[in-house]
């Protein structure tokens, strides 16, 4: 049985991507970082997202750099409050990202925001009000 999962994303520039995500408050495991990759760690369960230069990523999936697609997945992560969602939206925009979904309430019990990082990968941050969900 699988013990861990790593999400792998192609990026144009490792250093710029590390700066972007560091500005959002994410951390990196330098032990698993190379010239062409960076190991980003998210959350209490230490979910790993590996950032790879496009040439390195293309080699893994046996394709050319021009064939690398973006946004095959939407990466979502949790927030502890609506204020934290708003803070992430501001940080993402200030770090050079693009907001594609302004912070808003969804389905009456979730409050979220969608942003694209500097390479166009889409992210979603959600605060889930479980008490409000139970009332639905």
């Amino acid at each position: 049985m699988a013990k861990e999962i790593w999400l792998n994303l192609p990026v144009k520039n490792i250093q710029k991507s590390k700066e972007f995500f560091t500005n959002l408050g994410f951390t990196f495991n330098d032990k698993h970082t190379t010239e062409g990759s960076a190991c980003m760690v998210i959350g209490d369960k230490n979910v790993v997202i590996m950032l790879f230069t496009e040439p390195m990523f293309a080699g893994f999936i046996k394709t050319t750099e021009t064939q690398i697609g973006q946004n095959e997945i939407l990466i979502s992560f949790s927030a502890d409050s609506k204020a934290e969602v708003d803070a992430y939206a501001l940080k993402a925009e200030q770090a050079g990202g693009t907001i594609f979904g302004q912070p808003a309430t969804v389905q009456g019990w979730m409050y979220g925001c969608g942003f694209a990082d500097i390479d166009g990968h889409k992210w979603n941050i959600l605060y889930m009000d479980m008490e409000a969900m139970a009332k639905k």
Side-chain angles (χ1 to χ4, degrees):
M1 180 54 114
K3 304 268 189 257
E4 297 177 306
I5 294 175
W6 301 285
L7 303 175
N8 301 297
L9 294 176
V11 300
K12 295 186 185 331
N13 184 299
I14 290 293
Q15 282 310 115
K16 286 183 179 179
S17 292
K18 280 182 73 173
E19 289 172 20
F20 176 84
F21 288 109
T22 298
N23 286 334
L24 268 63
F26 295 121
T27 60
F28 288 85
N29 180 342
D30 289 331
K31 181 177 166 186
H32 298 291
T33 296
T34 69
E35 184 178 314
S37 68
C39 179
M40 185 167 61
V41 182
I42 299 177
D44 295 339
K45 302 223 189 272
N46 293 325
V47 172
V48 173
I49 297 184
M50 292 298 300
L51 307 177
F52 291 104
T53 59
E54 288 179 349
M56 185 179 278
F57 186 86
F60 291 143
I61 63 171
K62 307 295 187 232
T63 190
T64 65
E65 290 175 55
T66 57
Q67 293 173 315
I68 294 174
Q70 292 184 344
N71 303 318
E72 294 88 10
I73 63 171
L74 172 64
I75 302 169
S76 298
F77 59 99
S78 64
D80 291 328
S81 66
K82 290 180 180 182
E84 188 176 13
V85 170
D86 293 340
Y88 265 102
L90 182 60
K91 287 179 190 178
E93 204 163 33
Q94 289 174 340
T98 305
I99 304 300
F100 65 82
Q102 292 295 325
T105 300
V106 180
Q107 297 179 0
W109 63 278
M110 292 183 287
Y111 183 80
C113 169
F115 68 91
D117 65 27
I118 60 174
D119 288 289
H121 301 293
K122 292 188 177 179
W123 297 75
N124 185 35
I125 180 164
L126 287 172
Y127 165 68
M128 294 176 271
D129 183 343
M130 300 315 279
E131 288 180 26
M133 180 190 167
K135 295 175 186 175
K136 292 284 174 185

